[in-house]
Amino acid sequence: MKKNIWLIVGAIVLISIIFNVVGDSFASLLLIVGAILVYVGIRGRKVPAADPQVLPSLTREREAHYLKSGMTAREIELFRETMNQTKHQIDKYQKNITSNNKLKAIDLRHDALRASKALFKELVKEPTKLPLASHFLYTHLPNMVDLTDKFIEINSHEIKSRETYDKIEESTQIIDQMASLIAKDYSQFVADDLDDMDVELSIAKQSIKRDNE
C-alpha cells in the first residue's frame, strides 16, 4: 500500500511539472484529481471473502497423490468438495471458540479443535479412508458449528431472562458432549495406526530381548 501511495504522489508531481511547463493548468488539475480518485479507490477496495463453494486449484502433486490412491476423477472431485466444506467449517468453529471464554474452556478440556484439524490432515494423506470419518464430517462437525453459532448469538443478548440462562447452560452441556465425540472421532480414526505401532513395538522389544540374552 505504501508503495502505491508513493507511486501516485510521484506521478502527480511529475504531471504537475510537465503541465506547468506547457501552461495547461486545467488539464493538470484533472489529472491530479484523477490520480487522487484512483488512490481512494485502491484504499477503499476490500478483498472479497473466500467463497466456500469455490474449490482451490488442484496441484499436480496432489492430483498424483489421489490417483496413486486409486481414486477416479469423480471420486477426487467429491473428496475435494467435502474437504473444502470441512475446512470452512473448521475455520468457523475456530472463530467461534476464540470469541467466547466458555467455548475456549470446553475446547481445552477435549482438544476438539486440534482433533478436527488433525483428522483433516489424516484424510488428506489417506483420502480413501473418507467413509471412516463420516460421523465427523457429516454430523459432529456441522452440528458443532451450528451449536456454537447459536450459543454465541444467545449469549450476546444484552438482557438475559432465566430462560435464556437455562438455554445457555443446556447449550454448554451439549457442546461439551459434542466436543468429546469429535475427540473420539479422531481417536477411532487413528486406532489402526496405534495398533500397528503396538505390533512394531512388541517385535522390537522381543528383538532387543533376544540380542541381550
Side-chain angles (χ1 to χ4, degrees):
M1 180 59 72
K2 288 184 177 180
K3 184 177 180 181
N4 289 334
I5 293 173
W6 285 113
L7 285 173
I8 293 172
V9 171
I12 291 173
V13 172
L14 180 61
I15 292 170
S16 298
I17 293 173
I18 293 173
F19 278 93
N20 281 334
V21 170
V22 299
D24 194 345
S25 59
F26 179 71
S28 178
L29 178 62
L30 287 178
L31 286 171
I32 292 172
V33 171
I36 292 173
L37 291 174
V38 169
Y39 165 68
V40 172
I42 292 174
R43 187 176 182 183
R45 185 175 56 191
K46 294 182 179 179
V47 178
D51 186 350
Q53 303 301 322
V54 177
L55 294 177
S57 57
L58 178 62
T59 64
R60 291 182 179 179
E61 293 79 5
R62 186 66 66 189
E63 183 180 18
H65 170 63
Y66 293 149
L67 292 173
K68 187 177 179 180
S69 299
M71 301 174 71
T72 65
R74 180 54 180 161
E75 287 172 338
I76 292 173
E77 182 181 3
L78 290 174
F79 176 79
R80 295 185 69 234
E81 288 174 355
T82 299
M83 297 304 287
N84 185 56
Q85 182 181 31
T86 300
K87 182 182 183 304
H88 284 284
Q89 289 173 340
I90 291 175
D91 290 343
K92 187 65 168 69
Y93 177 34
Q94 180 171 357
K95 182 180 178 181
N96 288 348
I97 287 174
T98 56
S99 68
N100 184 272
N101 289 332
K102 285 187 178 181
L103 296 180
K104 284 181 185 178
I106 292 173
D107 185 65
L108 286 173
R109 186 155 54 247
H110 298 286
D111 232 357
L113 178 61
R114 193 165 72 163
S116 298
K117 292 181 177 181
L119 185 45
F120 183 93
K121 290 180 180 179
E122 291 294 329
L123 285 169
V124 172
K125 288 193 297 184
E126 301 183 86
T128 56
K129 287 188 175 182
L130 187 73
L132 299 179
S134 59
H135 288 306
F136 167 74
L137 294 170
Y138 307 118
T139 304
H140 298 159
L141 180 61
N143 284 346
M144 178 62 94
V145 174
D146 291 340
L147 285 167
T148 52
D149 277 344
K150 196 62 179 177
F151 175 88
I152 291 172
E153 179 185 346
I154 295 175
N155 195 59
S156 66
H157 290 176
E158 192 70 26
I159 299 176
K160 298 180 179 68
S161 64
R162 180 69 261 172
E163 183 182 2
T164 303
Y165 282 111
D166 290 342
K167 286 296 181 183
I168 290 175
E169 179 60 28
E170 182 182 3
S171 297
T172 301
Q173 294 175 7
I174 298 298
I175 290 171
D176 187 272
Q177 294 172 21
M178 193 62 66
S180 177
L181 288 175
I182 289 176
K184 186 177 179 181
D185 288 335
Y186 174 72
S187 297
Q188 291 177 338
F189 189 86
V190 298
D192 289 342
D193 293 338
L194 296 178
D195 290 341
D196 292 341
M197 177 62 76
D198 286 339
V199 172
E200 292 178 8
L201 288 173
S202 178
I203 294 173
K205 288 178 181 178
Q206 292 175 9
S207 177
I208 293 172
K209 184 178 180 180
R210 285 196 303 268
D211 291 342
N212 290 332
E213 290 178 350

